[in-house]
């Protein structure tokens, strides 16, 4: 791409030559701010919130002063070979002067030095994915000044200097030198850490805290020598060089490996870019009157309206996030099994706690949402470092939304937008069967950092987790602590278990965002990575051993405990779905093949059955007897043989249909006639073949030959669905009779059955007429048999063959309803056999030829077009045509939204997807209103 | 259907109550006629032509007077439980009076009786499919009068009476009695014939002519007694009863089994109905000054502009058609091997011949087309009984059309409409290889009644022919003579051979209509139906034995002679195609996979290659070596292995491509990259597997496992086409290189190659971009290698996946041309796997759910809609987009017309279909002009 054309980019969009960024730096602090919360795209989430916190008249919180370099500058930086706009330098200097004034310190001032942090801040939070440099401005020259500031705490200062050197050499210098370490071990950071370990070993120290000021001073010298040796460059002793190095490192980290990989997963566009926040350093580690902490205005784990957080006395923020020390609870409410013995902030610093409490209340009221807050106490003075909408798990999201609605903090529309389909899905996640759980004793306990329960086989590395999962295994990733390099392994795993870290550690943050089962800070764990062993109280578990986690309680169990699906009697869920129902237009039906499924789906609020598959009763448990009779029918050669087998089959088919109609009493039940190719049901087991031959009174050779005749080259496009109904009308007849007799008997029983007879695999209206003739005849016979005048029912067609969509105008002459079978339509529309896409689809996704797997989400451009054409033509013929979809896409949010836009009457999905579909349907309404 | 509403139907359409037929009977004769030729729908073809012949000022031929009862009456008859409109009786009486006046005879008049014939006449000729009654009006009372008329020839009269009794009892009485004979043997006709045989046997007579007047008189009495006994009814002695019985029998025969079956084959609608023609009888059998004959204004067998016909002295028309006596030639030209010793009409009755000759000339000039004429000479007076457009075989049709164009009798548009695609196809029919033919001596000779040559196994009955043919055998139906009951067997057979009958016998007429190889009147044959043996000069052939016919010469050979395809150097064909070319708009390209095919197609006038399949070189002869290398490529596991195999494959692929580009020099050649799923090429033979494993240096287990990995559930929708190109870019690269290097080398050789690179199985534009990137890179490399600036070529896509048609607008951003693969599109659009439709498609056609096999003719409603959408969207993006089709539909006339209407640039079909496609394309232009 030629970059010369672009002088200056605006709002991350490439613009024509000559256009200029009006302002690259936004100041905040001292009760004022250039920016505000609405400027997230420009300032990033963190920058905008800092400006809002610092400057908004309702807030004016004690934010350490600082400034934000905009995302526009980031875009410019990438479009101009990593060169900044010329004006930037002056803007930064200017802003820095204001910070100096407010902090009454000078950047590089030997006597009273100002230190700053340099942090990233994208439009959407990408926790831990980009670089940060702290303590910038600390040099040989300013060290004495900082010692003075800290009341002579030279240990703190050299520790800060050590941290700066470590961070800066790793984040800025090593990368600037273009060195790409082969592995973590050979990186500069590890090399420096080794020096420290060496010193501790020599001095026989147990921990870092044993290191004295002198030790640290010596260490800093050793570090600098090592850096010079390894990176062929001096560690910079100039504050400005440090500052610009930090800024450059943050911008560069936007395109770092981890950040890019995270953006792929989260779907964040590459062109957004990050802002850089430069802010006065305040220190939580200036002694025991200092502290740092993270808090939430409500509990992010369960949504309770309680101030919730953790803090560490005499620590810097990175210590909390890194999970190296177990933080203390800020108040009684925040206590857990794990930290109940630690002293709360409320107790140690009651005044500060009160101040913090008021700030958090102000913040939530201002933002109308739960906030995630970072704060630091420097020598008894509270600073608010950061505030943003707090991540929460699904149950918490639902609870908060509903309670805020009750509190009139938000409107019902906001309830809908506050919960993502994925979060709602968490409420439906499997949990450990309580009965199984009481019978087992946990082998360890940790912090409940992610919802639901999970069983899996232990993997000790992200790579191993990915590999095992790709083989279809269920894996639990077990780590001392996790870091951004582990993200893909965490994603592949069923659940994550860490030995260290708190509720705000990397593992907890990431797992919560994904709604994945997670336990952190499980101190009883001792992992031997080399031996691939996990030691818990003398017990040894190996890679591949099964464990089970209860992410809601933080319990770890040995072995594989029985799981159960989330209860449909969850009141909160039901309340939430009521809000969805009050907004959504689209009907949400369910796919159910048994009376049990039907009842469960009705419990979830399904408004009908969109797909009852008659063939389903031949699969799975209890199917032996009917399956055998079906096989007899299939292998029959004459109509007489077939009719006999069908007569035997009839009671089984009728029983399930009747039970389902009864369970859905008053609601429509779409019953699809036999769909798959018959050979699917032919037994392969020789014993069963023998029995079948015997029962049919034919030789095994004859049986084999009949079965062979059923073989097809491309069964997906073979003799199936209505094609069976046309060639063997008696098969359709039996099924239709079972449907209508079931309805008749329920009517006699004062019930209100409403069957819809659906013909599958239709490609021409004449197939429908052919089957309708059978249905009409059977209908008349059933009315006569039960002495009834009418049985409410409909006759309709599945639309899954591409041609069916094209001739939908004709089909609607006979069909009273359409139901799109989007799975088959995707297969035939793309010419993708679902069984065979393994050979190329992964490559297609990887190469970006297809953005999504079209079997996961409806391909709106192609298959969607067919659906559109079909609806349009169908409704032109029959104005009140009922149209739904019954493919697996029916419960996928993007597909649901698409169906809403197409003005379908309903989508139908599996029972557990019904709530998701309801939410997606309600969100679709809101999206539509926005336009 | 309630019929009471309908009082009178009009023009065969059901009309509202009260509407009346204005006129049910149309008179003709004496130089006048109520009707004319334009009234075929009302009067039937025969009636309209009789009216035209009798009444048109340019003709006024001596037609025996009579009248036509309209097809409207037939419709009324069927809509009103076989009751006639009330006015009909009076109209018939009225018309009959005019006939009596013109013939100076009275119907039922004892002294001077008028006899009439009662014949069917539908809009379209259905030879022999409906009933006829002759000699109506002959009763005990009128016999003496007819004897007087015939100058005392009582033998003739009783013979006529015998014929009337036989025909009437069979056609009218047996059917009216509702008797359905189990077989021909038990019918009344056979019973009567047995009486005659009995008498001949008793009297030791050799033939019918030995029967005396007394014999015949006695026979008539015996016949009547038998009828009374068998049918419980007297033979009617009342002329009116005979007349109305005859009329009713003709109308009823419209729905007879034979007629219905013929209509199915010929596609004649049931609701057309037939007219009834009642016409004064004239007798060709009133002595040796009487005769009857059939003639054509040009030779229907080869199209020569010569008056051609046959006649029989002292015979009735039915004798000619039945083929019982071998007729004599009307002139020298009409002489053949078979009848050369018989005396011509020109010699026996020179004046009458001259009169006939002038009439036929007048007729052809009037109708601008070859006429089929029936005439009778009664005691030296010529009557013209019938005239209609004569059926002709394909070569004759082409020749006549071209010669009439030269004579300025017709315009070039008429040349195109006079020849059907099926007739043109006859010119391309296989013929016996002349070299094989000279090496064999015919075992018998007959009349050359149908075109081309054919080999097949003998079948002696229609049923046997149908059965054997349904098993895929090639059958030749061998019969004494054929009759309408044999139609289905004749259709099933490759060819027809009869022992009796002339060029106008049933077998000859039917075979000519179908363009089927046929020899008639092969007197040397003696068939023993019981023993299923054929005796020729002492040689005995049995059912199932092979014979070969030369339908153009009338030669019968023993065994299976080598066939060859019709020569492309046929000048007449070339002239005809020139006329087509001067009218058609659509380009006609060909599907060819080898230089030989390309040359042949170019000979037929192909204007380019629409489909060259790279994979084709791996099938068939000479493919061993390249196939082995392809297999190596397929079974390769690493890119390195694959590249090595591809390098080995490269020269083979290039050789065929280069040869083909050279053969089509200057014309476009669309080359499709590898299309089928790879496992199609994996060997099944253990020896080959072993060799392959050895060559690849892998174990047989490894080979088996790799092959197993390629297996797919629905290969048609699996890993094939561009999906291979995306996952194995090196495979595309090799093919594209072969194409461009071939073109480069030809360019260096001062040739004008024009390859079009076609990507198959595309469903998204990004697949095309992916492949285009490869093509661009290879193009640059080839230009450099050959030091060229440009190689003329195009890059385009096949449209065969339904989604491709829907996203055609995007595809056209990259593709410079589209080629519809209508076979695959039909498969996926219908969800019909071509390999598996056997289970239901026959039933679909039978039940009328589908009117046609969509693999034979494009389904215009559904698949056609997809094509339309694709063209529209594609051309919206790229105005000059080249669009063609390359499925097998490209040579099917209805599909060609459809493609013309859609404004495609070209269709591509197999070389032998090129002429058909050209004709169909020209006809499409004319059809369009009509609108």
């Amino acid at each position: 791409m030629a970059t010369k054309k672009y002088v200056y980019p605006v709002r991350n969009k490439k613009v024509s030559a000559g256009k200029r960024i009006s302002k690259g730096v936004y100041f905040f602090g001292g009760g004022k701010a250039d920016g505000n919360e609405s400027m997230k795209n420009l300032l990033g989430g963190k920058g905008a919130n800092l400006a809002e916190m610092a400057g908004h008249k309702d807030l004016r919180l004690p934010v350490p002063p600082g400034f934000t370099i905009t995302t526009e500058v980031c875009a410019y930086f990438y479009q101009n070979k990593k060169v900044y706009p010329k004006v930037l330098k002056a803007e930064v200097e200017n802003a820095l002067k204001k910070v100096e004034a407010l902090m009454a310190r000078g950047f590089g001032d030997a006597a009273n030095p100002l230190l700053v942090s340099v942090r990233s801040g994208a439009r959407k939070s990408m926790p831990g994915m980009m670089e940060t440099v702290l303590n910038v401005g600390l040099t040989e020259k300013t060290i004495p000044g900082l010692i003075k500031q800290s009341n002579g705490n030279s240990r703190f200062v050299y520790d800060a200097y050590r941290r700066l050197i470590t961070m800066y050499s790793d984040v800025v210098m090593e990368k600037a030198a273009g060195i790409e370490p082969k592995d973590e071990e050979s990186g500069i950071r590890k090399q420096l850490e080794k020096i420290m370990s060496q010193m501790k070993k020599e001095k026989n120290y147990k921990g870092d805290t044993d290191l004295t000021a002198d030790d640290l001073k010596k260490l800093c010298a050793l570090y600098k020598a090592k850096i010079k040796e390894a990176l062929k460059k001096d560690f910079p002793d100039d504050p400005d060089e440090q500052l610009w190095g930090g800024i450059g490192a943050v911008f560069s980290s936007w395109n770092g490996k981890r950040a890019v990989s995270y953006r792929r997963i989260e779907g964040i566009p590459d062109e957004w870019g990050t802002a850089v926040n430069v802010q006065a350093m305040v220190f939580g580690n200036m002694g025991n009157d200092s502290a740092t902490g993270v808090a939430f205005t409500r509990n992010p784990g369960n949504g309770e309206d309680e101030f919730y957080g953790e803090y560490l006395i005499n620590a810097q923020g990175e210590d909390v996030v890194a999970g190296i020390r177990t933080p203390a609870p800020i108040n009684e409410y925040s206590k857990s099994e794990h930290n109940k013995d630690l002293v709360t902030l409320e107790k140690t610093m009651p005044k500060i706690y009160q101040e913090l409490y008021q700030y958090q209340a102000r913040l939530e009221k201002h933002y109308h949402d739960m906030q995630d807050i970072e704060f630091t106490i420097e020598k008894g003075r509270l600073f608010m470092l950061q505030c943003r909408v707090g991540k929460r798990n699904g149950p918490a999201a639902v609870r908060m939304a509903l309670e805020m609605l009750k509190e009139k903090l938000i409107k019902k529309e906001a309830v809908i937008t506050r919960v993502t389909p994925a979060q709602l899905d968490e409420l439906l996640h499997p949990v450990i069967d309580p009965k199984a759980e009481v019978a087992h004793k946990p082998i360890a306990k940790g912090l409940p950092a992610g919802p639901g329960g999970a069983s899996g086989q232990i993997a000790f590395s992200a790579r191993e987790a990915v590999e095992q999962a790709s083989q279809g295994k269920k894996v639990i990733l077990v780590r001392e602590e996790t870091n951004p390099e582990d993200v893909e392994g965490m994603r592949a795993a069923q659940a994550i278990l860490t030995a260290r870290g708190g509720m705000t550690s990397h593992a907890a943050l990431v797992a919560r965002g994904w709604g994945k089962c997670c336990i952190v800070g499980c101190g009883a764990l001792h992992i031997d990575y080399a031996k691939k062993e996990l030691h818990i109280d003398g017990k040894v578990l190996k890679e591949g051993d099964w464990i089970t986690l209860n992410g809601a309680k933080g319990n770890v169990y040995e072995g594989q405990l029985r799981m159960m699906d989330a209860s449909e009697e969850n009141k909160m869920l039901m309340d939430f779905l009521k809000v969805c129902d009050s907004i959504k237009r689209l009907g949400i039906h369910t796919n159910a093949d048994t009376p049990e499924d039907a009842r469960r789906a009705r419990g979830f609020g399904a408004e009908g059955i969109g797909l009852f598959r008659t063939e389903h009763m031949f699969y799975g448990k209890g199917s032996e007897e009917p399956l055998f009779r079906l096989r007899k029918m299939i292998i029959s050669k004459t109509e007489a043989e077939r009719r006999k087998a069908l007569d035997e089959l009839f009671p089984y088919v009728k029983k399930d249909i009747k039970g389902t109609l009864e369970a859905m009493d008053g609601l429509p039940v779409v019953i699809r006639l036999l769909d798959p190719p018959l050979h699917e049901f032919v037994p392969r087991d020789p014993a069963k073949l023998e029995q079948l031959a015997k029962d049919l009174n034919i030789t095994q050779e004859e049986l084999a030959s009949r079965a062979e005749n059923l073989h097809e080259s491309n069964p997906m496009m073979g003799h199936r669905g209505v094609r069976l109904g046309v060639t063997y009308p008696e098969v359709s007849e039996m099924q239709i009779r079972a449907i209508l007799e079931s309805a008749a008997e329920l009517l006699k029983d004062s019930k209100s059955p409403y069957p819809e007879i659906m013909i599958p695999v239709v490609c021409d209206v004449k197939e429908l007429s052919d089957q309708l003739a059978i249905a009409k005849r059977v209908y008349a016979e059933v009315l006569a048999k039960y002495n009834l005048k009418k049985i409410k029912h409909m006759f309709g067609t599945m639309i899954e063959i591409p041609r069916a969509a094209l001739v939908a105008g004709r089909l609607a002459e006979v069909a009273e309803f359409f139901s799109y079978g989007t799975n088959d339509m995707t297969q035939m529309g793309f010419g993708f056999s679902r069984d065979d896409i393994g050979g190329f689809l992964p490559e297609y996704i990887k190469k970006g030829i297809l953005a999504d797997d079209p079997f996961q989400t409806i391909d709106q451009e192609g298959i969607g077009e067919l659906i559109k054409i079909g609806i349009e033509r169908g409704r032109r013929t029959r104005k009140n045509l009922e149209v739904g979809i019954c493919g697996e896409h029916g419960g996928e949010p993007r597909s649901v939204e698409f169906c809403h836009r197409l003005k379908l009457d309903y989508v139908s999905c599996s029972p557990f997807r019904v709530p998701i579909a309801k939410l997606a349907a309600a969100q679709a309404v809101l999206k539509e209103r926005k336009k």
Side-chain angles (χ1 to χ4, degrees), chain A:
Chain A
M1 192 188 307
T3 58
K4 282 180 194 165
K5 273 199 217 162
Y6 308 108
V7 169
Y8 234 117
V10 166
R11 296 279 147 115
N12 301 333
K13 278 182 192 153
K14 291 160 219 144
V15 292
S16 56
K19 201 137 189 202
R20 298 197 150 264
I21 292 172
S22 50
K23 190 171 163 71
V25 170
Y26 282 68
F27 174 78
F28 57 83
K32 286 182 190 162
D34 293 345
N36 62 52
E37 209 236 341
S38 71
M39 298 162 81
K40 270 189 181 163
N41 292 1
L42 185 64
L43 305 180
K46 184 178 213 148
N49 276 321
L50 284 170
E52 186 86 358
M53 278 202 293
H56 192 279
K57 68 176 170 52
D58 294 343
L59 296 171
R60 288 185 178 143
L61 302 189
V63 172
F67 55 87
T68 305
I69 306 174
T70 68
T71 55
E72 288 179 355
V73 174
C74 182
Y76 181 98
F77 179 74
Y78 279 110
Q79 287 167 20
N80 291 281
K81 300 180 181 167
K82 300 204 174 183
V83 165
Y84 301 111
K86 278 185 191 153
V87 289
L88 190 68
K89 199 165 190 305
E91 283 188 272
V92 165
E93 277 167 9
N94 212 356
L96 200 54
K97 267 180 202 145
K98 287 191 201 170
V99 176
E100 289 174 328
L102 279 169
M103 291 298 285
R105 291 171 183 170
F107 190 62
D109 186 310
N112 187 19
L114 169 72
L115 305 196
V116 297
S117 62
V118 181
R119 295 176 204 262
S120 65
R123 269 156 85 162
K124 213 176 145 188
S125 168
M126 292 167 62
M129 295 297 144
M130 285 181 288
E131 304 297 1
T132 293
V133 192
L134 303 177
N135 304 341
V136 168
L138 196 52
T139 62
E140 294 290 351
K141 193 179 135 203
T142 58
I143 282 173
L146 189 62
I147 294 175
K148 210 175 93 194
Q149 275 176 25
S150 64
N151 301 328
N153 189 347
S154 61
R155 191 197 175 281
F156 150 71
V157 175
Y158 281 107
D159 192 38
Y161 196 44
R162 174 190 66 86
R163 287 173 197 254
L164 170 63
I165 296 170
T166 308
M167 236 183 275
Y168 196 91
S169 64
D170 174 23
V171 168
V172 184
M173 297 180 73
E174 188 174 69
K175 293 209 167 66
I179 295 169
E180 184 90 41
K182 267 167 289 177
D183 50 49
E184 216 176 285
E185 288 307 303
S186 57
I188 186 74
R189 182 184 279 266
K190 274 283 157 173
Q191 290 184 51
L192 301 185
E193 279 172 8
K194 266 183 208 153
I195 297 172
M196 186 162 87
S197 301
Q198 181 73 16
M199 178 182 278
K200 286 191 323 199
K201 206 173 163 191
E202 278 166 12
K203 306 219 167 189
N204 214 8
Y205 292 162
K206 280 183 180 169
D208 295 3
T209 43
D210 294 340
L211 292 161
T212 66
D214 276 350
D215 290 339
L216 289 164
K217 192 174 174 181
K218 218 174 284 167
L219 220 42
C220 288
L222 290 169
Y223 276 21
K224 287 195 198 170
K226 185 74 192 174
I227 288 165
K228 174 81 181 171
E229 175 202 329
L231 307 178
K232 318 281 176 238
K233 228 185 149 194
D234 284 318
F235 174 76
D237 204 38
D238 173 55
D240 280 336
E241 191 181 342
Q242 287 179 3
L243 176 63
W244 286 103
I247 292 169
V250 172
F251 278 143
S252 296
S253 68
W254 172 254
N255 271 352
K257 225 168 134 185
R258 284 178 302 171
V260 169
S261 143
Y262 184 87
R263 287 207 295 275
R264 293 284 168 281
I265 292 170
E266 295 285 325
I268 297 173
D270 289 345
E271 61 269 23
W272 277 5
T274 182
V276 174
N277 296 294
V278 177
Q279 197 176 14
M281 281 297 296
V282 289
F283 292 96
N285 55 347
M286 274 211 183
N288 287 337
D289 57 350
S290 297
T292 192
V294 176
F296 301 89
T297 59
R298 303 194 184 208
N299 186 335
N302 60 23
E304 283 177 345
D305 183 14
E306 297 283 355
F307 186 39
Y308 180 91
E310 300 167 330
Y311 79 109
L312 277 171
I313 289 279
N314 198 14
Q316 258 188 324
E318 58 165 359
D319 300 330
V320 185
V321 177
I324 289 163
R325 277 160 63 191
T326 298
I330 53 165
N331 51 18
E332 279 302 308
Y333 176 78
S334 303
K335 280 192 170 174
S336 70
E337 195 59 34
H338 190 68
N339 61 13
K340 62 173 191 269
D341 300 330
L342 301 173
V343 189
T344 65
L345 182 67
E346 197 174 5
K347 278 223 173 107
T348 47
M349 304 179 184
K351 264 183 79 180
I352 296 261
Y353 177 78
Q354 282 312 319
E355 192 188 344
L356 179 65
Y357 188 85
Q358 289 190 4
Y359 292 159
Q360 68 85 23
R362 225 187 275 176
L363 281 166
E364 186 177 283
K365 203 175 157 204
H366 179 69
Y367 285 112
H368 303 279
D369 202 354
M370 187 268 272
Q371 297 296 302
D372 169 348
I373 296 159
E374 287 181 23
F375 63 92
T376 282
I377 301 159
E378 186 184 84
K379 296 197 284 181
R381 187 176 161 199
L382 174 64
F383 287 97
M384 302 298 282
L385 299 190
Q386 186 175 188
C387 121
R388 56 186 173 192
V389 172
K391 291 206 173 186
R392 63 206 72 180
N393 63 27
V398 172
R399 177 167 188 166
M400 284 179 199
L402 289 171
E403 291 187 355
M404 286 182 188
L405 176 67
K406 224 185 246 169
E407 297 160 20
K408 299 199 169 140
L409 196 60
I410 58 173
K411 298 203 171 144
K412 70 175 183 179
E413 283 75 12
V415 173
I416 300 303
T417 52
R418 284 283 163 85
V419 180
T420 65
Q423 283 175 324
L424 189 62
D425 196 29
E426 288 173 39
L427 271 74
L428 309 162
H429 267 320
V431 294
I432 304 176
D433 184 337
K435 286 175 214 153
E437 199 165 6
V438 288
H440 288 77
K441 217 177 116 52
I443 54 170
K445 277 185 139 262
L447 294 173
S455 278
Q457 292 173 272
I458 294 171
F460 290 116
S461 73
R463 216 199 42 214
E464 190 66 29
V466 169
E467 199 164 294
Q468 296 298 317
S470 77
Q471 289 167 28
K473 287 193 186 161
K474 293 187 167 190
V475 174
I476 291 182
L477 179 64
V478 180
R479 298 284 293 171
E480 283 288 336
E481 56 186 313
T482 66
N483 61 48
E485 268 87 351
D486 295 324
V487 165
E488 284 178 6
M490 295 165 79
R491 197 167 180 85
Q494 297 292 310
I496 301 134
L497 171 62
T498 70
R500 289 186 293 188
M503 286 294 280
T504 48
S505 65
H506 178 263
L509 280 172
V510 172
R512 197 175 302 142
W514 287 340
K516 183 161 285 196
C517 176
C518 178
I519 297 175
V520 297
C522 187
L525 309 188
H526 295 281
I527 305 171
D528 186 330
Y529 286 120
K531 285 192 179 164
K532 298 194 175 182
E533 284 177 0
L534 173 63
H535 298 254
I536 306 174
D537 283 342
K539 188 183 287 289
V540 180
L541 296 170
K542 292 186 177 287
E543 192 167 73
D545 284 351
W546 283 86
I547 54 173
T548 299
L549 309 189
N550 180 334
K553 292 188 184 165
N555 291 349
V556 183
Y557 300 92
E558 199 179 1
Q560 201 176 358
L561 268 64
R562 192 169 61 247
M563 291 285 150
M564 61 174 280
D565 288 318
S567 165
E568 62 264 37
E569 295 178 12
N570 184 330
K571 182 169 176 318
M572 198 166 71
L573 175 62
M574 291 300 123
D575 286 348
F576 182 77
L577 293 181
K578 262 181 222 152
V579 181
C580 295
D581 284 344
S582 76
I583 289 176
K584 78 178 181 55
R585 182 189 58 66
L586 201 61
I588 309 298
H589 295 201
T590 190
N591 301 347
D593 305 316
T594 63
E596 299 73 52
D597 280 358
R599 273 188 287 275
R600 176 179 300 132
R602 200 168 188 171
F604 276 136
E607 297 150 4
I609 288 182
L611 181 61
F612 173 97
R613 288 163 288 194
T614 43
E615 66 270 18
H616 215 80
M617 67 190 67
F618 306 115
Y619 300 115
K621 270 192 299 182
S623 69
E624 274 295 305
E625 201 52 34
L627 182 57
F628 180 71
R629 291 174 205 286
L630 178 73
R631 283 169 173 166
K632 271 179 74 176
M633 187 277 280
I634 289 167
I635 226 69
S636 297
K637 213 171 179 181
T638 65
E639 193 186 320
E641 269 180 24
R642 202 174 304 114
R643 282 205 177 267
K644 191 164 160 277
L646 284 168
D647 286 346
E648 290 175 16
L649 206 45
F650 181 73
Y652 296 99
V653 175
K654 188 170 158 188
K655 182 168 161 272
D656 266 18
I657 290 175
K658 191 174 168 185
T660 301
L661 283 172
E662 193 171 8
M664 295 304 283
D665 194 45
L667 298 177
V669 176
V670 176
I671 301 164
R672 180 178 73 185
L673 303 193
L674 205 62
D675 179 72
L678 294 183
H679 72 78
E680 247 188 41
F681 300 104
V682 174
R684 275 168 196 84
D685 174 7
K688 288 205 177 111
L689 280 166
E690 197 183 325
Q691 188 195 352
L692 192 58
K694 216 169 141 191
D695 203 81
L696 280 166
N697 202 17
I698 57 176
T699 64
Q700 288 205 56
E701 291 69 39
E702 169 71 11
L703 178 62
S705 127
R706 291 192 192 181
E708 177 57 28
N709 275 342
L710 291 169
H711 174 78
E712 296 187 306
S713 301
N714 295 284
M716 186 52 59
M717 303 194 292
H719 195 176
R720 55 181 286 239
V722 69
R723 299 165 193 173
L724 294 169
V726 168
T727 48
Y728 308 125
E730 55 279 9
V731 177
S732 293
E733 184 184 325
M734 181 276 280
Q735 297 177 83
I736 293 169
R737 193 180 303 283
I739 295 167
L740 294 174
E741 286 199 2
S742 297
E745 288 170 12
L746 289 169
L747 269 176
K748 287 279 179 192
D749 222 21
S750 301
K751 293 278 199 307
S752 304
Y754 186 13
E756 303 187 20
I757 300 168
M758 179 158 79
I759 311 298
V761 198
V762 166
C763 69
D764 195 275
V765 66
K766 286 186 188 150
E767 294 171 318
L768 284 181
S769 317
D770 182 273
Q771 299 291 295
L772 180 63
I774 299 171
K776 280 190 168 170
R777 181 163 53 73
V778 174
Y779 182 57
E781 287 166 14
V782 174
L783 286 185
K785 178 173 174 187
Y786 290 89
N787 193 24
L788 285 165
K789 285 227 171 81
K790 196 191 154 181
I791 300 168
K792 186 180 171 189
H793 72 286
M794 282 219 264
F795 182 88
T797 184
M798 195 131 170
I799 306 261
E800 61 203 312
I801 302 285
R803 189 181 191 271
L806 296 164
V807 301
R810 297 295 318 276
L811 298 186
E813 291 169 11
V814 175
E816 294 167 292
F817 67 89
F818 283 179
S819 176
Y820 281 91
T822 48
N823 296 342
D824 274 8
M825 190 166 265
T826 299
Q827 292 205 78
M828 287 176 236
F830 270 92
F832 282 177
S833 160
R834 198 167 181 174
D835 295 331
D836 305 316
I837 49 174
F840 59 93
L841 198 63
E843 190 75 11
Y844 268 48
I845 302 282
K846 198 174 137 198
K847 284 195 172 177
I849 288 176
L850 291 176
D852 299 287
D853 176 350
F855 293 105
Q856 299 287 340
T857 185
I858 289 176
D859 158 52
Q860 300 187 11
E861 190 185 359
I863 304 307
E865 183 69 16
L866 269 184
I867 298 177
K868 237 186 266 179
I869 289 172
I871 295 176
E872 206 180 285
R873 296 181 180 186
R875 290 214 170 123
R876 212 182 294 149
T877 299
R878 190 185 287 264
K879 225 179 150 185
N880 63 345
L881 184 75
E882 177 188 287
V883 184
I885 85 161
C886 64
E888 279 170 39
H889 299 102
E892 191 276 322
R894 273 187 289 167
S895 306
V896 171
E897 193 207 326
F898 183 65
C899 291
H900 170 86
R901 285 208 311 272
L902 292 189
K903 302 213 172 3
L904 256 66
D905 293 297
Y906 68 86
V907 297
S908 186
C909 53
S910 66
F912 278 103
R913 303 296 292 171
V914 166
I916 310 296
K918 287 198 166 194
L919 172 58
Q923 289 183 337
V925 171
L926 298 181
K927 230 175 177 175
E928 196 177 51
R929 281 192 203 158
K930 251 188 174 170
K931 288 174 191 165

